[in-house]
Amino acid sequence: MIENPGFEDGVLLPWNKYGADATTTIVGRPDVHTGRHALKIDVAGPGENFWSAGLQYKPVGVVFEEGVLYTWAFFAKSDPPVEINIKPELAQDPWTAYGAKRAFLVEEYQEYWTEWTAPIDVNPASLTLHIQFDKSTIWIDDARWYEGDYVPFDGEPQSVDPSGKAAAVWASLKAR
């Protein structure tokens, strides 16, 4: 259900970076997991809080539907190795977490993921990575968000047509 999952469009959108102490660049080979592009994030140093800078996937209409099991998976690496916080969340105050977990990125691409079932409909929702634990360069590629249990990545990511999926249907109903 992610648009531009491998940054193959050569742009950041519909992802966004927040926080002044991090910069983003779309890069090419050799810094990609698959395809032609990946996202590079330079983090200047530790923040006042680890959530002071981050990356979010939150285009209009992202909803976590009550009772649906979701998985968010992506490939990442970091130089030097660094901790991040993976946080599917309510995309407004009080920023309630669903399936949040910390991960330690290493210098070679690895797949990281989290699974969650929202106890209520969450609208607006976002997939957020908190990245300001320490100074580092982080690369992200091949993101996936889907309904169901985690399934290991087995090749090139495929664009998913979100129409008819629970989150897209719910978003269209809420917009009426």
Side-chain angles (χ1 to χ4, degrees), residues 64-128:
F64 304 152
E65 185 178 326
E66 176 183 359
V68 175
L69 172 65
Y70 293 103
T71 297
W72 176 25
F74 57 91
F75 280 82
K77 67 178 184 173
S78 178
D79 183 22
V82 70
E83 186 174 18
I84 63 168
N85 188 54
I86 305 168
K87 186 184 178 199
E89 66 182 357
L90 175 66
Q92 63 189 22
D93 196 14
W95 313 102
T96 307
Y98 301 93
K101 73 179 194 180
R102 292 193 180 181
F104 194 76
L105 306 183
V106 295
E107 293 177 338
E108 297 295 325
Y109 272 112
Q110 289 188 13
E111 189 170 27
Y112 300 88
W113 73 91
T114 188
E115 297 173 324
W116 72 98
T117 301
I120 60 170
D121 290 327
V122 179
N123 185 12
S126 74
L127 304 176
T128 301

Side-chain angles (χ1 to χ4, degrees), residues 21 45-53 132-134:
D21 292 331
E48 182 177 331
N49 299 294
F50 65 84
W51 61 84
S52 295
Q132 204 164 5
F133 283 87
D134 208 345

Side-chain angles (χ1 to χ4, degrees), residues 149-168:
D149 292 318
Y150 167 72
V151 176
F153 182 83
D154 65 356
E156 292 285 334
Q158 300 297 314
S159 294
V160 175
D161 179 3
S163 56
K165 300 289 186 188

